[in-house]
Amino acid sequence: MAAVNHWNTAQHLLLVILGFFVAFAPRYLPIKIFTQRKIPEWFNEWMKFIPVSLFTALVVKDVFVSPTYQFDVVHHIPEIIASVIVGLIAYFTRSMALSVVVGLVSVFLLAVVL
């Protein structure tokens, strides 16, 4: 980070402008491309699984992977039990709000008890 302290104003401005384009391009290009052509049905069906797969990847990492990136079940018992509880609540109620509240409360209580 010491090198950044020696940058002049023009270099900082260039960094901000380039950062804008890097963040804007992945949002703008798909809109620009897909408004001019028909999206295949198989692609729409495939895209329905993206939110579930991303959510699963995030949850599995937090529940089963230690901060040193090792598979760890023993030290994550409260999170595993809370995950099962939330999964059951979400399956039977289909309520995101209830699932989040039950998940937060169950992680807190299980962390205190276990």
Side-chain angles (χ1 to χ4, degrees):
M1 286 306 275
V4 175
N5 293 334
H6 299 292
W7 284 14
N8 61 31
T9 304
Q11 289 170 319
H12 279 103
L13 184 60
L14 180 62
L15 178 66
V16 170
I17 292 170
L18 291 175
F20 166 77
F21 284 113
V22 167
F24 183 71
R27 291 162 177 81
Y28 176 73
L29 291 176
I31 292 171
K32 184 69 175 164
I33 292 169
F34 290 120
T35 55
Q36 298 173 352
R37 62 176 74 164
K38 184 170 174 16
I39 300 172
E41 188 60 34
W42 63 267
F43 185 77
N44 286 332
E45 288 294 321
W46 177 73
M47 287 299 288
K48 290 179 184 177
F49 295 106
I50 298 299
V52 174
S53 61
L54 289 175
F55 179 73
T56 302
L58 292 172
V59 169
V60 167
K61 181 191 174 296
D62 284 342
V63 172
F64 294 110
V65 178
S66 71
T68 59
Y69 295 103
Q70 301 295 319
F71 181 76
D72 185 15
V73 178
V74 176
H75 296 99
H76 295 279
I77 298 298
E79 290 90 349
I80 293 171
I81 295 171
S83 298
V84 171
I85 293 169
V86 169
L88 292 171
I89 294 293
Y91 180 77
F92 287 114
T93 66
R94 302 282 187 211
S95 170
M96 179 65 102
L98 184 62
S99 299
V100 169
V101 170
V102 169
L104 290 172
V105 170
S106 62
V107 166
F108 173 74
L109 292 176
L110 288 167
V112 170
V113 172
L114 299 177

